[in-house]
Amino acid sequence: MNKRTLAISGAAVAALGAAAILLPNANANPDETSGAKTFSSPVAVKLARSLAADLGDNGAGWYYDNANRQLVMNVVDEDSAEGVRAKGAVAKIVTNSMEDLKAATKTLSSDASVPGTAWSIDPVTNKVQVTADRTVTGAKWATLTKATDQMEGTVSVKRSQGEFKKFDGEEAAQPGDNGGAGAGDAAGDAGAGDAAGAAGAAGGADDAGAGGAGDAGAGGDAGAGGAAGGEQGAGGAGDAGGAGDAGGGGDAAAGGLDGGDAIFGGGARCSLGFNVSVDGAPGFLTAGHCGNASQTWTSDEAGAQQVGTVQDSQFPASDFALVMYDDATTQVSSTVDLQDGSTQEIGRAVEASVGLKVQRSGSTTGVTDGTVTGLNATVNYGNGDIVNGLIQTDVCAEPGDSGGAMFAEDAAVGLTSGGSGDCTQGGETFFQPVTGALEATGAVIGAGDGGAGGGDAAGGAGDAAGGAGDAAGGAGDAAGAGNAGAGDAGDAGAGAAAGAGDTGSDAGQGLN
């Protein structure tokens, strides 16, 4: 045998030896995805909840892998992993149990409660992700790192170049570069109605269709207030676009506002979150720190068009407020302003999940999008303002966007609280879960007798999602085109979980 043959033989033996070592390890890979099924987000969420209940303490969270459309379940042992794989999900064997992660958050709350910090459980890294803003220096940084250094392997720390703050703004603030429906162009021809940049709910009938809010609307004449189509677009303003004088007037309350529209009170400008009903009476949700700033709220910065009065406001432990429309006959639409002359129907509320794709509408920066990155977040805004149980995202926002709607398709998800950064440089934004606000206030998504989808009506709604009862789209048939977005309460019920007794359950939860 010549040297060349010997060399080839030696290489072959070496390759076989390497394969013998690598193959067992590949088979034991805790992230093994062979055989994993692909799921839509709604189906993945439903399966995740079922698996999490079965896993109990052996589960350590889960997330939806958008890129591969796969459900990833964190587990602590191989036996649990086998059960997960049998259901078509990806089993990821992790070091930290959910009990470990929750214990870490408690330690942070007691030993590292430093202004300018936030933390949330991140199932992707199987750690508690701590974020410190640019104000955390010197003694504050020392306090934080002293606590986190003792939890190495369970906690990770990153810096934010921004500063954590609530995203309420001054009344005179101008809308951002992204075309939000803010207070800019407040004068206009329509007077007070245009000032809100979203008061397109002038209550007009006039073949309103798209409805408008005068020139101040988001990105054009279509404004922000109109509902979707039909001759009575749930408070559409003027002649399909509301240019000129149609946007304002004294009837703003008659047609309600949309999610994301500007509201003013106590020297602050915030954004409306979602229209709701309480025992059949119309109202809306916004941020609690906005509700604390003023008892009454208007649709114009001059304060001439009062629309509602705060009934309940919770901050800082949580961050939501319920404002009831002063005119009990207000016909509100269950819609979010997309700041381009169109709206998104909202028929239900869902709990957030890591990996969920979301959008946010606000009166400063308009509509932006991103992904949920963490749950059960705690944010320390300083001055004793510490909020728990928030949703962490990579969605951007700016002052004036507080209270604005975060949604996923036709589902309400969160109310804008605060964060760091802006829509130029990016940053983190935190949201109050809508499901918690609905449950605490007894409010339901939508309006009128169909707004809730009603406790039991949710049962078995599955992915039907079409809204909540024939009145869900707003003012009965007037809300948009006929019964658009309504759905039958018995079959669609997709919004039913939005705040009544079954809030957050699997019933009727399309996306979540």
Side-chain angles (χ1 to χ4, degrees):
M1 185 178 294
N2 60 36
K3 292 182 179 180
R4 183 172 182 274
T5 303
L6 284 171
I8 293 173
S9 300
V13 172
L16 288 171
I21 295 172
L22 291 174
L23 285 174
N25 289 337
N27 292 334
N29 183 358
D31 297 322
E32 179 64 56
T33 61
S34 61
K37 298 179 181 178
T38 58
F39 301 99
S40 66
S41 179
V43 174
V45 170
K46 186 175 181 180
L47 175 59
R49 288 180 173 166
S50 175
L51 286 172
D54 293 340
L55 289 168
D57 293 340
N58 292 325
W62 57 272
Y63 60 95
Y64 183 63
D65 179 353
N66 275 288
N68 296 307
R69 293 173 53 83
Q70 293 177 331
L71 171 64
V72 181
M73 300 293 300
N74 291 343
V75 296
V76 297
D77 58 54
E78 180 58 34
D79 288 342
S80 299
E82 290 180 4
V84 167
R85 295 183 191 118
K87 297 291 186 178
V90 177
K92 183 177 179 180
I93 299 178
V94 296
T95 302
N96 297 314
S97 67
M98 186 56 67
E99 183 179 355
D100 294 333
L101 298 173
K102 290 181 177 179
T105 64
K106 291 181 179 179
T107 299
L108 289 167
S109 295
S110 61
D111 298 348
S113 186
V114 175
T117 58
W119 52 79
S120 63
I121 294 175
D122 178 10
V124 177
T125 62
N126 186 230
K127 292 182 179 181
V128 175
Q129 178 67 64
V130 179
T131 305
D133 73 14
R134 60 184 175 82
T135 70
V136 181
T137 58
K140 292 197 295 184
W141 178 252
T143 298
L144 177 64
T145 55
K146 180 179 179 181
T148 57
D149 286 349
Q150 297 175 8
M151 295 182 285
E152 185 177 0
T154 306
V155 172
S156 61
V157 180
K158 69 175 184 178
R159 299 302 301 258
S160 172
Q161 295 183 357
E163 179 179 348
F164 289 131
K165 56 190 174 185
K166 303 180 291 293
F167 280 141
D168 50 336
E170 299 296 327
E171 285 190 355
Q174 298 296 313
D177 293 335
N178 291 338
D185 299 330
D189 292 332
D194 282 353
D206 288 3
D207 297 329
D215 296 337
D221 291 341
E231 291 189 350
Q232 281 182 293
D239 292 327
D245 294 338
D251 298 326
L257 300 170
D258 291 316
D261 287 351
I263 53 175
F264 303 84
R269 176 170 62 88
C270 290
S271 298
L272 186 147
F274 299 95
N275 283 316
V276 297
S277 63
V278 181
D279 296 329
F284 62 81
L285 296 174
T286 188
H289 64 268
C290 294
N292 286 1
S294 178
Q295 188 66 17
T296 59
W297 287 86
T298 68
S299 61
D300 66 310
E301 85 178 279
Q305 301 295 324
Q306 183 170 318
V307 293
T309 302
V310 174
Q311 178 172 301
D312 186 13
S313 185
Q314 301 294 324
F315 182 82
S318 299
D319 197 2
F320 64 85
L322 172 65
V323 181
M324 301 303 294
Y325 283 98
D326 292 332
D327 183 353
T329 66
T330 299
Q331 301 296 307
V332 297
S333 299
S334 188
T335 48
V336 170
D337 186 355
L338 298 181
Q339 316 291 359
D340 61 0
S342 66
T343 58
Q344 168 66 55
E345 291 284 341
I346 300 295
R348 58 205 171 106
V350 299
E351 294 179 356
S353 56
V354 172
L356 179 67
K357 294 291 186 181
V358 292
Q359 292 178 285
R360 178 201 54 75
S361 179
S363 64
T364 297
T365 55
V367 176
T368 59
D369 57 20
T371 305
V372 173
T373 59
L375 302 176
N376 297 316
T378 294
V379 184
N380 191 328
Y381 291 119
N383 299 317
D385 292 341
I386 303 173
V387 190
N388 300 305
L390 298 180
I391 303 164
Q392 184 169 352
T393 73
D394 59 10
V395 182
C396 73
E398 295 180 8
D401 288 330
S402 274
M406 180 173 74
F407 57 101
E409 298 177 4
D410 68 338
V413 180
L415 305 167
T416 308
S417 175
S420 68
D422 54 38
C423 288
T424 300
Q425 298 179 346
E428 302 83 14
T429 302
F430 299 88
F431 296 82
Q432 162 71 42
V434 167
T435 52
L438 293 170
E439 184 175 6
T441 59
V444 291
I445 291 291
D449 56 6
D456 293 338
D463 296 331
D470 289 338
D477 290 347
N483 293 328
D488 182 84
D491 296 328
D502 293 331
T503 299
S505 68
D506 287 331
Q509 302 292 323
L511 278 166
N512 215 17

